Amino acid sequence: MTTTVAPPGTASTTPARAPRRARRWGDHLFVVPAVVFVAATVLYPLIFNIDLSFRDVGVAQIVTGGAEWVGWENYTDQLSRDDFWHALVISLLYTGLAVAAAFALGMALAVYFNQRFPGRNVMRSLLLLAWILPTVVSANVWRWMLDGSYGLINTLLEAVGVVDGDVFWLARPVPALFAVVIATAWSFTPFIMILLLAGLQGIPDTLYEAATIDGAGAWRRFTSVTMPLLKPVNLTALLLCFISTFKTFDTVFLMTRGGPGEATMILPIYAYNEAFEFFRFDTGAVATTLMLIVPLGLSVFYFRSLRREETA
Amino acid sequence: MTATAAQRRRGWLSAGGVLITIAYLLPVYWMLATSLKDSSDIFATPPDLFPSPITLTSYTETVVNHAGIGRGLLNSTVIAVGTTVVTLAVAVPAAYALARLRVRFVALLMLLFLVVQMIPAVNLALPMFVIFSRADLVNSYVGLILANCSLAIPLAITILRPYFLSVPGEVIEAAKIDGCTTWSAFLRVALPVSVPGLITVAVISFLGAWGEFVFGLALASDEGMQPITVVLAGLTNSFGTRWNDLMAVSVVVALPIIVVFVFLQRYIVGGLTAGATKS
């Protein structure tokens, strides 16, 4: 599993309906370890990272500390670098394409497996295997399937006449981007399918029956009944998938390491390289801190859509 | 429509479903098939859909004899089990209190635990490397388990809280009237009825830590401490085009996941969709 984000609906932000009696301080002891843990392993590192981003951190200062405070200098440097903006564009392109593909396919699968037929539950669960397989494993399998000379994908595409001759997917910029998008979408699709299935099950059959009596065909029923009623679920699933995909590191790192050239250099890999390849922890800290804006900004919309879904 | 026509339609739908499932899981089959091929069969053109001859050489010679793989599997086991145990110990009481006890700031804390899950792992791995370097925790199980727990605990709490919310408050109140303390009501009443939720969280924490890559890559530079995912990533370079060996290692890495998936699948699906059907 690449990303484990809570599925929609878990964000019940309404407090437990406990009667308004005196709160017992002892009860808080149950929560204290979790709060301390999250503060120490998430909030503290994040703040530490922001602090790093304002300092001039050399290799020596990684262990010793005491790096000099330089103010916004690292930020202005970073924002004037073309490769940073390039990584942002690639990240958004990669995420947008993968989410679009996973959503379209996930929707198609959800509608298909929402029909009643023997074995559908088993098949639905089996498809989830693609989602829970470690990304390191699936990325490796895709690398092999997309191999230029002996890969299965080229053979299949040649058989149906889409490509002619060997396509070296991971060695050319545009095909490489498509390759990582396909591998990512493959993992995320079953997850989206499960989220959408939950929404589809909430649509009463009577609406479809009424639409059928009114003469609506399958496509019309989908566009006039399914899609409008699924709108809140769709929005939640799209936002959740976008945030999770934007964070993805392993798939691209394993398949291309950001290459060829910088064709698939997404922000998480860019930031990782800054710190762990070039030992520039300060610029790495700047890049990761700036990168945080996208998922946190979107999470505002995500929580809003969750609340709307709950009240719907 | 006659009954037989409806039945026939369902039969066709089932057949279609089987085809879709097979096509979708083709990469999984291809991984397994390749791992059973010999080194000349992997380069057959067109590719051999079924391995011929079927050979276990990749497993018996490469996987078993490669020291790094055994070590990586051991490391991953320690890290994943450690993460699961710590996550359960910390998240279960917290989720229970946030669902059933009178604590402050429930909405705020739940929001915090959700927002935290939006953070990319690299954002934590980078400062953690610096912090751990100074605390001498790089290349240690403690460091790797702490790193894995950072995101596993918030996830576990968001999954578990709905389970505890579904435990009727009256049952817990009744236990207290019968003389149970808050703690023993939690242990003796709430926990036993929430076992499915506990299994779900344990499974999801374990799977998450087993497949984790970024923390392992950033916080374990020493080869002897790397989890199997990082070892596998390293082998992609050293094995080159020995795809059968590489796929055999991939199968071994995926195996615990597949076994857990087969036997505990309803808990996983339940965890992934917890709340999606509105609790």
Side-chain angles (χ1 to χ4, degrees):
Chain A
M1 274 192 296
T2 14
T3 37
T4 35
V5 177
T10 42
S12 180
T13 41
T14 43
R17 288 150 234 97
R20 284 228 156 263
R21 264 176 274 161
R23 297 172 195 275
R24 289 204 211 111
W25 282 106
D27 289 1
H28 287 80
L29 291 178
F30 283 75
V31 196
V32 168
V35 173
V36 170
F37 219 101
V38 171
T41 59
V42 180
L43 301 182
Y44 175 65
L46 280 186
I47 294 167
F48 191 92
N49 200 37
I50 293 172
D51 180 76
L52 279 182
S53 72
F54 285 105
R55 291 176 188 276
D56 180 18
V57 187
V59 178
Q61 279 99 10
I62 294 171
V63 183
T64 58
E68 189 198 345
W69 185 271
V70 292
W72 291 97
E73 201 181 293
N74 293 332
Y75 281 88
T76 47
D77 278 0
Q78 191 63 231
L79 291 173
S80 66
R81 272 173 62 174
D82 286 344
D83 49 356
F84 171 77
W85 292 104
H86 181 264
L88 178 66
V89 170
I90 294 291
S91 254
L92 293 175
L93 204 58
Y94 159 72
T95 310
L97 288 172
V99 171
F103 188 80
L105 203 52
M107 176 67 85
L109 290 175
V111 169
Y112 190 90
F113 285 99
N114 194 40
Q115 304 174 94
R116 272 185 208 89
F117 56 83
R120 68 166 180 170
N121 288 337
V122 178
M123 295 175 206
R124 285 203 293 226
S125 312
L126 275 176
L127 288 176
L128 266 182
L129 192 58
W131 165 247
I132 70 158
L133 217 56
T135 349
V136 183
V137 170
S138 48
N140 238 329
V141 178
W142 278 104
R143 228 167 49 86
W144 164 222
M145 298 217 312
L146 290 163
D147 184 75
S149 312
Y150 306 101
L152 187 62
I153 298 289
N154 274 350
T155 311
L156 293 175
L157 290 180
E158 265 174 77
V160 292
V162 179
V163 300
D164 190 26
D166 295 348
V167 180
F168 287 86
W169 290 89
L170 300 176
R172 288 166 48 195
V174 177
L177 187 62
F178 274 104
V180 292
V181 163
I182 289 166
T184 310
W186 183 74
S187 301
F188 274 96
T189 297
F191 180 59
I192 293 202
M193 174 192 79
I194 291 291
L195 293 181
L196 295 181
L197 268 171
L200 283 175
Q201 280 154 9
I203 301 176
D205 285 346
T206 48
L207 287 179
Y208 290 109
E209 284 155 19
T212 313
I213 292 166
D214 289 346
W219 178 250
R220 189 66 208 273
R221 286 199 298 272
F222 177 71
T223 54
S224 305
V225 181
T226 312
M227 284 310 264
L229 284 167
L230 220 52
K231 213 170 145 194
V233 180
N234 282 346
L235 187 65
T236 319
L238 276 172
L239 282 169
L240 186 60
C241 190
F242 196 96
I243 295 170
S244 311
T245 310
F246 187 82
K247 303 195 310 179
T248 301
F249 177 91
D250 352 11
T251 310
V252 183
F253 186 83
L254 263 121
M255 288 177 72
T256 64
R257 302 218 172 205
E262 297 206 326
T264 56
M265 186 58 78
I266 53 173
L267 263 182
I269 297 183
Y270 171 82
Y272 174 87
N273 284 347
E274 281 298 310
F276 294 97
E277 289 288 316
F278 310 124
F279 290 102
R280 294 195 288 251
F281 275 75
D282 41 11
T283 48
V286 173
T288 45
T289 304
L290 289 173
M291 176 167 77
L292 213 50
I293 295 171
V294 175
L296 290 189
L298 285 174
S299 71
V300 174
F301 295 99
Y302 172 63
F303 294 133
R304 208 175 286 168
S305 79
L306 270 187
R307 207 166 303 163
R308 206 167 296 151
E309 203 184 316
E310 265 171 22
T311 50
Chain B
M1 248 200 296
T2 62
T4 47
Q7 273 169 1
R8 207 175 303 142
R9 188 179 127 81
R10 282 200 205 125
W12 280 114
L13 284 173
S14 284
V18 170
L19 281 181
I20 291 171
T21 311
I22 290 174
Y24 204 83
L25 296 179
L26 190 66
V28 180
Y29 169 75
W30 201 238
M31 165 175 76
L32 194 63
T34 306
S35 77
L36 297 172
K37 291 180 178 180
D38 68 22
S39 41
S40 64
D41 198 18
I42 52 175
F43 298 126
T45 30
D48 247 345
L49 275 182
F50 305 98
S52 62
I54 291 181
T55 168
L56 288 169
T57 323
S58 290
Y59 294 93
T60 52
E61 301 204 342
T62 309
V63 175
V64 174
N65 290 336
H66 194 288
I69 294 169
R71 183 71 205 187
L73 288 170
L74 173 73
N75 291 340
S76 280
T77 308
V78 173
I79 296 164
V81 170
T83 302
T84 308
V85 170
V86 175
T87 298
L88 282 175
V90 173
V92 173
Y96 173 70
L98 289 167
R100 277 285 156 250
L101 299 183
R102 288 184 288 278
V103 295
R104 284 170 170 274
F105 311 122
V106 173
L108 191 72
L109 286 173
M110 288 313 294
L111 192 65
L112 170 74
F113 293 140
L114 260 178
V115 172
V116 159
Q117 293 171 54
M118 312 283 162
I119 299 170
V122 185
N123 273 60
L124 297 177
L126 193 156
M128 272 178 183
F129 179 80
V130 180
I131 297 168
F132 286 2
S133 295
R134 295 176 188 174
D136 207 16
L137 284 174
V138 175
N139 290 317
S140 74
Y141 287 138
V142 175
L144 288 164
I145 290 171
L146 279 176
N148 274 285
C149 285
S150 67
L151 297 177
I153 288 173
L155 174 71
I157 293 174
T158 48
I159 294 176
L160 268 175
R161 187 169 170 263
Y163 281 96
F164 286 124
L165 276 177
S166 66
V167 178
E170 299 82 46
V171 179
I172 295 161
E173 288 306 316
K176 283 190 188 167
I177 290 165
D178 290 344
C180 277
T181 61
T182 308
W183 181 248
S184 62
F186 163 63
L187 284 183
R188 293 207 207 134
V189 182
L191 280 192
V193 295
S194 309
V195 168
L198 301 180
I199 297 177
T200 300
V201 165
V203 168
I204 295 217
S205 306
F206 182 87
L207 296 186
W210 184 266
E212 202 286 325
F213 180 67
V214 179
F215 291 131
L217 185 70
L219 304 175
S221 48
D222 175 1
E223 278 181 20
M225 286 306 294
Q226 283 169 350
I228 189 66
T229 47
V230 178
V231 174
L232 174 57
L235 293 179
T236 58
N237 295 326
S238 56
F239 279 13
T241 55
R242 283 157 59 196
W243 292 106
N244 48 345
D245 291 347
L246 213 48
M247 290 301 116
V249 184
S250 300
V251 169
V252 171
V253 178
L255 204 62
I257 305 275
I258 292 174
V259 169
V260 168
F261 182 76
V262 168
F263 289 101
L264 299 170
Q265 174 228 95
R266 68 196 174 100
Y267 296 104
I268 300 175
V269 180
L272 291 178
T273 58
T277 46
K278 284 177 200 168
S279 50

